[in-house]
């Protein structure tokens, strides 16, 4: 964790996982992927949201700044990250957040079994993982997207972004790949409007 000017940053192995403006001005993050993921597709009024991968919780703050979410659920496997986000990145002051501390491979099927649905699902936990794990998690998240909702995945441009978009194309009415900035490697894979299969059949990717 580093404080630099009016910003606090969470940095792990050289990667910036979160930015927290100490002066409360979130507008400086307009060009960053945390913001762009939230505005890539229209959000409904008072959305419910699921975040897979927490970091310092930048996107939770941004969602509350941009909209009035009625419910927020977070899956984060590292309890140390949860502690840092709560104590140093302002999450403890926010009410109404459901934290699930555990691996997404376990938590996501559990949410599916009990029929949970979310208007906005963001996956930012497998950015640097092998493509197979990213694909499995993306497929598992599709049933959690509410009708008319959206799924956004943060991916590396030269890794599996295009392949993941192609694999999910039959699962959503619209798939869009959006590069965050020319000088950045982040690509947002955005799926809008999940396509439900007859008889509850689930396709694999």
């Amino acid at each position: 964790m580093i404080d630099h000017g009016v910003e606090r940053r969470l940095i792990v192995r050289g990667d910036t996982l979160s930015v927290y403006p100490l002066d409360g001005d979130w507008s400086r993050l307009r060009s960053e992927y945390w913001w762009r993921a939230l505005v890539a597709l229209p959000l409904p009024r008072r959305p419910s949201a699921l975040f897979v991968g927490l970091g310092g919780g930048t996107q939770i703050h941004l969602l509350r700044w941009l909209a009035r979410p009625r419910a927020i659920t977070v899956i984060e496997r590292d309890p140390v990250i949860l502690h840092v986000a709560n104590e140093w990145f302002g999450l403890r002051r926010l009410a109404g957040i459901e934290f699930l501390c555990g691996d997404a491979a376990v938590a996501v099927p559990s949410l599916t079994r009990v029929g949970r649905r979310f208007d906005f699902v963001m996956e930012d936990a497998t950015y640097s993982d092998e493509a197979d794990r990213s694909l499995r998690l993306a497929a598992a998240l599709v049933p959690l997207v509410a009708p008319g909702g959206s799924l956004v995945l943060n991916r590396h441009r030269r890794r599996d972004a295009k392949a993941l978009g192609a694999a999910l194309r039959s699962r959503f009415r619209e798939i869009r790949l959006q590069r965050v900035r020319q000088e950045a490697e982040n690509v947002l894979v955005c799926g809008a409007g999940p396509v439900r299969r007859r008889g509850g059949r689930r396709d694999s990717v």
Side-chain angles (χ1 to χ4, degrees):
M1 186 182 66
I2 297 173
D3 284 358
H4 179 70
V6 294
E7 289 185 343
R8 177 169 293 162
R9 293 177 175 264
L10 177 60
I11 299 176
V12 177
R13 294 189 292 273
D15 294 327
T16 300
L17 301 188
S18 274
V19 173
Y20 181 68
L22 299 172
D23 61 355
D25 184 6
W26 293 97
S27 66
R28 289 195 299 272
L29 299 183
R30 287 179 185 272
S31 64
E32 302 295 340
Y33 83 91
W34 301 293
W35 181 298
R36 290 179 178 264
L38 292 170
V39 301
L41 297 167
L43 287 172
R45 294 184 61 186
R46 304 211 63 207
S48 59
L50 170 65
F51 295 94
V52 183
L54 175 63
T58 296
Q59 278 191 311
I60 293 176
H61 287 288
L62 285 174
L63 179 62
R64 291 172 65 96
W65 202 64
L66 291 167
R68 294 181 58 201
R70 69 179 185 275
I72 296 174
T73 298
V74 176
I75 299 172
E76 172 55 55
R77 64 183 176 184
D78 190 342
V80 174
I81 292 292
L82 280 174
H83 175 76
V84 169
N86 276 297
E87 298 300 325
W88 299 100
F89 287 80
L91 287 195
R92 189 174 297 283
R93 296 194 297 272
L94 304 182
I97 303 175
E98 175 188 25
F99 293 104
L100 305 178
C101 188
D103 196 285
V106 176
V108 168
S110 296
L111 291 172
T112 303
R113 281 194 296 271
V114 297
R116 297 286 295 274
R117 296 290 185 272
F118 303 89
D119 300 309
F120 175 81
V121 178
M122 176 73 194
E123 194 273 286
D124 194 18
T126 62
Y127 176 77
S128 58
D129 287 1
E130 294 297 324
D132 287 347
R133 181 169 185 266
S134 298
L135 285 167
R136 287 196 300 272
L137 181 53
L141 287 170
V142 174
L144 291 176
V145 183
S150 59
L151 170 66
V152 180
L153 314 163
N154 181 34
R155 287 292 176 269
H156 194 285
R157 179 175 65 89
R158 291 177 292 179
R159 222 169 256 243
D160 63 343
K162 288 184 178 179
L164 185 56
L168 292 175
R169 198 164 299 280
S170 65
R171 308 293 299 275
F172 290 90
R173 291 196 300 270
E174 178 186 359
I175 287 286
R176 183 187 308 166
L177 271 63
Q178 178 180 313
R179 189 169 180 183
V180 175
R181 295 191 308 275
Q182 288 301 313
E183 67 274 19
E185 297 292 347
N186 302 71
V187 170
L188 300 174
V189 180
C190 310
V195 175
R196 305 300 181 197
R197 302 301 178 182
R198 291 182 179 178
R201 180 173 63 86
R202 295 177 188 171
D203 292 345
S204 60
V205 297

